[in-house]
Amino acid sequence: MDRSTPQLKSLYQELILQHYRHPHNKGEMETPDVSISMNNPVCGDEITLQLRVVDGRIEQIAFSGQGCSISQASASMMTKQLSGKTLDEATALTGRFTEMMHGDEDAAVDRALGDLRALAGVSRFPVRIKCALLAWNAMQEAGKTVESR
């Protein structure tokens, strides 16, 4: 089915709003292995991403912060998608999501991204791309921090 069909656009918009209104993994962890805070000064989005990693696998992931529906939905969707993944898998998904945000049409239909494909339309709005990528940029930094230990 073409992503431009009205029913699919509507479904994707609803999925984004659902994650914004009822985010997954939002809150603070008591003992994270790593905690990365980032912000987007252009629109005021803020996020703190926390991870607990055991044997190279994301055992627990959480985020806190505030911002627009795109940044918060993206963070919620990311934590849901990356929970239980290895750091290598998380790095690959982060790269693929970033490609999608920069307009890569193959990435936009890549089934490996799952529900994250709902955010593909954000790539048409350059100002909003940073909103969608904020949590993912924090994830990249968190992965580097864990690997350097």
Side-chain angles (χ1 to χ4, degrees), residues 59-76:
E59 182 178 276
Q60 188 175 359
I61 184 170
F63 78 99
S64 59
Q66 60 187 14
C68 70
S69 60
I70 297 297
S71 73
Q72 298 299 289
S74 181
S76 172

Side-chain angles (χ1 to χ4, degrees), residues 12-145:
Y12 280 170
Q13 288 173 349
E14 184 56 37
L15 182 61
I16 292 167
L17 288 174
Q18 186 177 22
H19 274 274
Y20 175 64
R21 292 179 184 139
H22 307 286
H24 294 259
N25 305 303
K26 189 163 187 179
E28 295 188 22
M29 295 170 49
E30 286 189 29
T31 55
D33 293 325
V34 63
S35 181
I36 302 290
S37 293
M38 292 191 154
N39 69 0
N40 178 358
V42 174
C43 66
D45 297 330
E46 300 173 351
I47 187 166
T48 297
L49 182 69
Q50 297 178 315
L51 299 175
R52 183 171 303 122
V53 179
V54 177
D55 296 328
R57 186 171 299 277
I58 299 170
E59 182 178 276
Q60 188 175 359
I61 184 170
F63 78 99
S64 59
Q66 60 187 14
C68 70
S69 60
I70 297 297
S71 73
Q72 298 299 289
S74 181
S76 172
M77 295 168 85
M78 179 193 77
T79 63
K80 186 177 178 192
Q81 186 81 7
L82 297 184
S83 183
K85 300 271 193 257
T86 66
L87 288 175
D88 287 342
E89 291 169 330
T91 297
L93 280 169
T94 299
R96 197 64 171 149
F97 183 80
T98 301
E99 291 169 353
M100 182 179 76
M101 285 297 98
H102 290 293
D104 184 316
E105 292 183 18
D106 290 334
V109 295
D110 188 339
R111 289 185 180 269
L113 290 176
D115 286 349
L116 293 165
R117 293 174 294 170
L119 292 162
V122 173
S123 68
R124 294 189 307 267
F125 304 95
V127 173
R128 304 307 300 272
I129 293 170
K130 288 183 180 183
C131 302
L133 287 175
L134 185 62
W136 296 88
N137 292 338
M139 182 59 217
Q140 282 182 315
E141 289 303 311
K144 290 177 190 174
T145 301

